[in-house]
């Protein structure tokens, strides 16, 4: 992820949460570095690189779950942040969207 000048890691999580909840794709993608790397150890094939892919992923999410909201919880020090996200919304077919880990 990327940070704005003088912004700490917790502020970055707040900015990302606000961007997702506002469905502001531009603000959301600015939260990520151009060379961002996503790793998903439980599903290695789902990993990807780059801000452009973040944008494509969230375009699809916003289209599939038009009322999606997130709530983030985080723990941070001056250099790092760990966060956990809960997503809620309704899919286009009317079914609830509340992804949970297996």
């Amino acid at each position: 992820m990327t940070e704005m000048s003088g912004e700490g890691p917790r502020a970055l999580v707040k900015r990302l949460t606000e961007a997702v909840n506002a469905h502001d794709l531009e603000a959301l993608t600015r939260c990520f570095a151009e060379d961002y790397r996503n790793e998903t150890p439980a599903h290695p094939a789902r990993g990807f690189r780059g801000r452009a892919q973040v944008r494509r992923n969230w375009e699809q999410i916003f289209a599939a779950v038009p009322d999606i909201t997130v709530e983030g919880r985080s723990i941070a020090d001056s250099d790092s942040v760990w966060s956990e996200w809960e997503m809620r919304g309704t899919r286009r077919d009317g079914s609830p969207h509340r992804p949970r880990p297996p």
Side-chain angles (χ1 to χ4, degrees):
M1 293 182 118
T2 188
E3 293 187 41
M4 297 182 88
S5 179
E7 178 183 51
R10 195 171 296 235
L12 178 60
V13 170
K14 181 178 186 289
R15 191 163 50 94
L16 178 58
T17 301
E18 290 171 351
V20 171
N21 288 336
H23 295 207
D24 185 340
L25 195 54
E26 298 306 318
L28 186 155
T29 55
R30 283 193 306 269
C31 293
F32 294 84
E34 288 291 339
D35 62 349
Y36 170 75
R37 185 176 69 198
N38 176 283
E39 295 179 358
T40 310
H43 304 282
R46 294 182 189 173
F48 64 88
R49 288 183 176 265
R51 180 188 284 171
Q53 187 62 50
V54 170
R55 180 185 183 86
R56 286 189 293 273
N57 291 352
W58 278 97
E59 284 175 332
Q60 290 178 2
I61 292 167
F62 288 151
V65 188
D67 64 345
I68 193 165
T69 60
V70 298
E71 181 180 339
R73 295 169 200 83
S74 62
I75 188 168
D77 61 21
S78 61
D79 299 320
S80 302
V81 64
W82 286 90
S83 61
E84 176 180 80
W85 299 85
E86 182 172 351
M87 297 182 183
R88 294 185 195 106
T90 307
R91 295 184 183 118
R92 293 235 176 246
D93 67 3
S95 64
H97 178 79
R98 284 197 71 176
R100 297 274 190 233

